[in-house]
Amino acid sequence: MKYILKLFFTVCLYFAIVPLAKAEAPYSLNVVYFIPQDDEAVEGFESRLSDLLLYIQKFYRKEMIRNGFGNKTFGLVKEGSGKVKIIVLRGEEKIPYYSYADGGGYKAEREIGIYFTKHPEEKKSNHTLVIMPSTSNDDMRPGGVPFYGIGKYCFALDYPYFDIKYLGENSPKGRLLTKWFGGMAHELGHGLNLPHNSAQVTEGEKLGTALMGSGNHTFGLKPTFLTKASCAILNNCEVFATRKKRYYDKDTNFKLEGMEIAFTDDKVLVKGHFKTVLPINGVNIYIDHSPYGQVNNDYDAESWTVKPRKDNHFAIEIPRSELHKRGNCFQVRVRLLCANGMIHTQVAEFNWEDLKTYQLVKS
Ligand code: ZN
């Protein structure tokens, strides 16, 4: 009887504890600390970077919830200690080979790719954040190494004062932290499929600066947020998944069958319809002012997002009062978001002085 009771209590205790244990996300961001042959890791990087990454993870979660996409954020693998797991890799070459100016990012990416081929169990998704120690030899002016996000890779740097204890501090180290920490949060956004965008007028007054605009300069110091359009893309990003499924397969059946962009005195009207086998669960519209372009001229593009109807039609009205209008020319960029993370983009160009309706008709 005593044994049965003991067993009963053990089982009860098991079921009481197990649900509290957090299951690992089905996909996680790969975090790699990449050190050139003749360089050294910056002291204490494991715990400093872990604290910083967990802060960014929480920020993304808060913004996903605020924008109505639920309690989701990118996965991070944790060690038993609760710290974020960081893969430490030694580069094959010396410091100059991996410099920002010399395309060091692609070179590091190639070696990391080889590492993942040899150790597939270490690769937790297609998305990788690479952090390299600064090579500038000046702790208050870090730099020298790749710092950008492109494709599924993004690059940030480490230096001795890269420490969350300085966050929000109005001091040289506090402002320096915002620059490089905000920079890491912003480049990570690129590595998680995000393009640039800025706040709409009212949104900016209420929420501050969009992280994928110039929020890398305000992160941790002043109000900084993720736009709803950014969150709509993250909602389909592999490392935000709450269950395993296929990501990033090219949908050869997708076709934008029609689209119209028209103008009234106070609105921009965008509507369209498409054909697809894989579901499209969002349509993002960006108004990008001259000089425009998808690489580094799109920071000022205000964004909107709308869900398509079940019959694959979408329509949105954008108030012109929500645009920070600059210059005569602008682009309307329409991005159709596939639930598997792929994005189909259609671009149309206009001039405020001579607005014409844009019509795309495909048979
Ligand atoms: Zn950027």
Side-chain angles (χ1 to χ4, degrees), residues 102-354:
D102 243 10
Y106 296 103
K107 295 170 183 169
E109 193 177 322
R110 191 182 56 81
E111 289 178 35
I112 294 165
I114 294 169
Y115 174 81
F116 282 143
T117 308
K118 285 187 189 157
H119 304 88
E121 73 288 352
E122 294 278 298
K123 188 180 176 186
K124 303 295 184 188
S125 74
N126 288 293
H127 298 268
T128 303
L129 166 65
V130 184
I131 301 163
M132 291 170 70
S134 160
T135 55
S136 67
N137 293 321
D138 181 345
D139 293 346
M140 288 305 286
R141 287 166 173 261
V145 293
F147 201 90
Y148 51 78
I150 191 158
K152 302 284 179 274
Y153 268 76
C154 53
F155 296 84
L157 58 72
D158 189 25
Y159 62 100
Y161 308 125
F162 199 39
D163 193 319
I164 202 138
K165 71 181 179 193
Y166 300 115
L167 191 68
E169 210 179 271
N170 191 13
S171 67
K173 285 176 191 164
R175 290 189 291 273
L176 192 66
L177 183 71
T178 279
K179 178 177 177 184
W180 296 105
F181 186 35
M184 181 159 89
H186 174 108
E187 302 311 336
L188 176 62
H190 288 312
L192 300 176
N193 308 331
L194 296 184
H196 290 130
N197 68 177
S198 82
Q200 301 163 16
V201 171
T202 316
E203 200 175 44
E205 288 161 5
K206 228 168 36 189
L207 301 169
T209 311
L211 178 65
M212 297 315 290
S214 48
N216 45 330
H217 301 293
T218 55
F219 193 71
L221 269 185
K222 292 177 190 163
T224 307
F225 72 102
L226 281 168
T227 63
K228 192 168 184 179
S230 287
C231 290
I233 293 176
L234 294 173
N235 187 43
N236 296 334
C237 175
E238 183 188 27
V239 289
F240 281 67
T242 49
R243 61 181 176 85
K244 283 250 178 209
K245 65 173 195 172
R246 288 186 70 90
Y247 277 86
Y248 308 127
D249 285 333
K250 199 168 159 47
D251 182 2
T252 48
N253 294 299
F254 174 82
K255 193 172 170 194
L256 183 62
E257 292 187 305
M259 194 168 83
E260 184 182 282
I261 303 169
F263 302 89
T264 65
D265 284 348
D266 59 350
K267 280 176 191 148
V268 181
L269 313 166
V270 184
K271 63 180 180 183
H273 57 105
F274 54 85
K275 187 174 86 173
T276 188
V277 171
L278 298 173
I280 298 284
N281 60 6
V283 181
N284 284 1
I285 293 105
Y286 300 79
I287 312 273
D288 189 3
H289 310 274
S290 172
Y292 44 69
Q294 291 191 42
V295 182
N296 272 332
N297 285 320
D298 54 351
Y299 291 96
D300 61 349
E302 299 92 353
S303 62
W304 279 261
T305 188
V306 65
K307 272 187 178 301
R309 297 195 317 234
K310 279 206 175 77
D311 62 358
N312 292 343
H313 280 66
F314 62 91
I316 186 165
E317 294 186 359
I318 294 167
R320 282 167 66 169
S321 57
E322 290 294 343
L323 303 173
H324 309 86
K325 200 174 136 191
R326 313 160 183 86
N328 279 341
C329 304
F330 65 101
Q331 275 188 349
V332 176
R333 207 169 297 126
V334 179
R335 291 192 166 101
L336 295 105
L337 315 179
C338 183
N340 79 351
M342 292 297 276
I343 299 174
H344 309 280
T345 305
Q346 185 75 28
V347 180
E349 291 178 14
F350 300 93
N351 190 320
W352 286 117
E353 307 303 320
D354 182 23

Side-chain angles (χ1 to χ4, degrees), residues 68-101:
F69 292 95
N71 186 5
K72 294 172 92 175
T73 188
F74 58 89
L76 285 168
V77 179
K78 300 247 190 85
E79 305 276 19
S81 61
K83 284 199 190 349
V84 175
K85 182 184 171 180
I86 299 172
I87 301 168
V88 181
L89 290 186
R90 190 48 94 167
E92 286 170 8
E93 305 288 339
K94 293 183 176 172
I95 291 171
Y97 181 80
Y98 302 104
S99 73
Y100 188 121

